[in-house]
Every structure is written in structure tokens, then in C-alpha cells.
Amino acid sequence: MNKTSYYLVIFVGIITVLSFFPHAFLGMQAVLDHISKGEISPPAAEGMREIWLYSSIMMLVSGLWLLLVSKQILTGSHTARLQVLILGIGLVVFGLGCAYISKQIDAMFAFTIQGIILVVATTITYKKAHHIHDDQINLS
């Protein structure tokens, strides 16, 4: 059993789902405010709204996905482990990329921390269950 890994994945999943709400609602309003003040040029405004909508939806989907695969992490599924590891690496790269672009550690660095937690959950604290095969796991 991978209880530590399970709880780490659940933790990041909950944080990600909860982050969706301020990101989608307060964040989108901030984007619209910047657009109305002319801080974002009209040609870029539509793209900015679309990018914000996409990132909000993907934040929710990623969090829900983590919550859905957490049970398989607990039982030692290799497929679930790879999914969480890939998401974790992606979050680390995104957070570090944002720090590189902005030349500072800001709020985007939280994604790096979430990614590191997921990488730890799928490497250091993860124990592969040799007796369980992904095709034998009951997903219900």
C-alpha cells in the first residue's frame, strides 16, 4: 500500500481543485480589468481571455484527475503512477519556466512545489505492488 503517496496525491488534487475557483472567477475578472484599462492590446485581448479560460478548466481537470487516480496510486498501479509522474514533471517545468521568464520566484512557483510533491509521491515514497497488474484493478 502506498498510503504516503496516496495522501500526497490527494493533497495536491484538492489544492488544485480549490485553486480553480479563485483562478477562474477572480483571475478572469482581473484579466478583464486589465483589458478594459487598455493594458492588454485589443489584438491580444481575445487570446488572453481564451488562455485564461483554458488554464482555469485545465486546473480543474488536473485536480479532478489526481483525485480519480489516487485510489490506483494507493494500490500500486503502474499506469496511475506514470500519469501522476508526468503531471508532476509538467508542473515542475511550468513553475521553473515561469521563474525563468519573470526572473523572480512568484506565485507561479507554487506549481513547482505541487509538481515536486507529485514527483516525490511517484518516486521516493512510492512502493510498487508486484502482485497487482493494472488490468486486474477494479476501478469501481
Side-chain angles (χ1 to χ4, degrees):
M1 294 298 251
N2 289 299
K3 287 185 180 182
T4 302
S5 295
Y6 169 78
Y7 289 122
L8 291 173
V9 172
I10 289 286
F11 173 73
V12 174
I14 290 170
I15 294 297
T16 306
V17 168
L18 292 176
S19 297
F20 158 78
F21 296 99
H23 187 274
F25 300 107
L26 300 175
M28 181 60 92
Q29 187 56 50
V31 168
L32 296 175
D33 291 345
H34 287 290
I35 291 169
S36 68
K37 292 177 187 174
E39 297 170 350
I40 299 172
S41 66
E46 181 180 328
M48 186 66 185
R49 287 191 307 267
E50 291 171 350
I51 289 167
W52 204 271
L53 176 64
Y54 175 79
S55 62
S56 296
I57 291 169
M58 290 312 296
M59 187 177 292
L60 179 62
V61 169
S62 296
L64 291 173
W65 192 267
L66 288 170
L67 295 174
L68 289 172
V69 300
S70 63
K71 181 179 178 185
Q72 288 80 29
I73 290 294
L74 182 63
T75 59
S77 166
H78 180 68
T79 303
R81 179 184 186 191
L82 283 176
Q83 291 173 51
V84 174
L85 178 63
I86 290 167
L87 183 57
I89 291 169
L91 288 169
V92 169
V93 170
F94 174 71
L96 293 176
C98 289
Y100 176 78
I101 290 168
S102 68
K103 308 287 190 262
Q104 62 183 354
I105 294 178
D106 56 13
M108 294 295 121
F109 198 72
F111 290 105
T112 303
I113 295 168
Q114 289 175 320
I116 290 169
I117 292 170
L118 293 178
V119 170
V120 166
T122 55
T123 57
I124 296 170
T125 64
Y126 191 87
K127 296 172 188 72
K128 182 162 176 32
H130 297 287
H131 64 282
I132 296 176
H133 300 286
D134 289 322
D135 57 348
Q136 294 176 344
I137 295 174
N138 182 2
L139 298 178
S140 58

